[in-house]
Amino acid sequence: GLADCGSTLAHVESVRRLSISRGALLLEAIDTIARDPCQEDIRYLIDVVGNSEGRALHSAVSLLQDITGYRIGADARSWRYFFLKHRTDGTEFRHPTNDQVAEEHTLSYMGIPLFGDKVVFVLDSSGSMNSGMFETSNSRGKRAVGELVQLLPKLPDTGQFDVVFFDDEAHRLSTGKLIHNEPSRISDATRWLENHQFDGGTNLFGGLEEAFESDGVEEIILLTDGMPSVGSLQRPERILSWTQRRNRW
């Protein structure tokens, strides 16, 4: 609220919230600090790296990389080492070469990097996904499933996931709770994915709505090859507006 009103206290309150908040409010605090970050924020962001996981952890690391130019990952001890080194030297905590290239994320789906540990994949399973891809014998659906099957075993040990297919209706892998990253659960998910059929219309909103109901979800990856054709919301601008409101928290 302070940030939306343009209050000068928004930044100070957000820094305070880094040490006492969790979940969506912590993400909101990091996002507010990212609007106008400064060197004084670094020590508090390092504490977030040391005490958090999932989306909050990766957001704090990304902001630290932007502020300092260092390409250190999710390692609070390394961040503290360089923080103390610069403070002892009396220098600004910035990479000496000013190399501000963000750390590359090796974990991704269809070229989209994953930042959260609790992810729901929402995949179009309408009939159009049977169409072939350019210069390959794979269909769009097989490509989407194949990449996800390869990705799931690479999720972090603390990771949780779920998959929602949408055609005329939404079809969910789980019963509503995110699935822990365990070998047996990965095997069950793989069989479910590989046996799914692609048919029907494109109820994009239904799949998205189902994903947002997941308890504790940090990130939703949505994949579709066409415009919504069925469902309670079909106009893209209305779906985007609904998503923007839900994404706030």
Side-chain angles (χ1 to χ4, degrees):
L2 290 169
D4 289 345
C5 293
S7 171
T8 56
L9 296 176
H11 195 103
V12 175
E13 176 64 14
S14 295
V15 171
R16 187 178 77 88
R17 287 285 176 179
L18 292 181
S19 62
I20 62 176
S21 298
R22 293 293 181 268
L25 192 54
L26 177 57
L27 293 174
E28 187 85 2
I30 296 173
D31 182 66
T32 300
I33 292 170
R35 301 179 189 183
D36 187 24
C38 61
Q39 288 277 312
E40 286 72 22
D41 301 329
I42 292 175
R43 66 173 68 188
Y44 306 104
L45 290 167
I46 293 175
D47 289 339
V48 174
V49 174
N51 299 323
S52 302
E53 60 183 19
R55 189 67 186 249
L57 168 63
H58 295 300
S59 294
V61 169
S62 178
L63 184 51
L64 282 168
Q65 290 174 345
D66 289 342
I67 296 173
T68 67
Y70 278 87
R71 297 181 62 184
I72 302 170
D75 184 352
R77 292 180 63 183
S78 294
W79 281 110
R80 289 195 180 98
Y81 168 80
F82 284 102
F83 173 76
L84 293 173
K85 182 178 185 301
H86 279 278
R87 189 169 68 173
T88 301
D89 294 342
T91 57
E92 187 180 50
F93 189 177
R94 290 194 61 81
H95 194 280
T97 63
N98 291 323
D99 179 11
Q100 297 192 51
V101 179
E103 180 188 45
E104 293 184 7
H105 293 269
T106 56
L107 197 61
S108 63
Y109 176 65
M110 301 293 284
I112 302 172
L114 304 181
F115 296 96
D117 282 351
K118 300 178 180 179
V119 186
V120 177
F121 300 91
V122 183
L123 310 182
D124 189 343
S125 63
S126 62
S128 62
M129 292 292 285
N130 287 313
S131 301
M133 298 186 66
F134 183 66
E135 293 186 347
T136 177
S137 59
N138 263 352
S139 68
R140 298 168 183 173
K142 287 183 178 180
R143 171 70 180 276
V145 167
E147 287 220 10
L148 187 53
V149 167
Q150 293 180 19
L151 170 66
L152 291 181
K154 301 176 184 177
L155 294 176
D157 293 338
T158 57
Q160 298 178 43
F161 70 94
D162 203 353
V163 183
V164 178
F165 277 119
F166 62 90
D167 39 59
D168 290 334
E169 299 177 351
H171 312 274
R172 188 168 190 150
L173 172 60
S174 77
T175 57
K177 293 184 178 180
L178 296 179
I179 300 168
H180 289 276
N181 182 21
E182 301 170 354
S184 61
R185 307 301 298 276
I186 297 292
S187 297
D188 292 342
T190 298
R191 285 193 295 270
W192 186 80
L193 285 165
E194 293 179 338
N195 290 327
H196 191 79
Q197 301 298 311
F198 294 86
D199 190 23
T202 306
N203 187 1
L204 186 151
F205 179 70
L208 195 59
E209 189 175 34
E210 185 74 26
F212 268 103
E213 293 301 318
S214 305
D215 186 30
V217 61
E218 296 180 323
E219 189 164 27
I220 295 171
I221 303 295
L222 173 68
L223 176 67
T224 184
D225 72 337
M227 295 286 283
S229 60
V230 293
S232 57
L233 281 185
Q234 297 181 33
R235 291 171 53 189
E237 64 272 15
R238 293 188 62 189
I239 296 175
L240 286 170
S241 178
W242 180 89
T243 304
Q244 187 178 36
R245 292 196 301 273
R246 294 298 299 267
N247 259 343
R248 175 66 184 265
W249 300 109

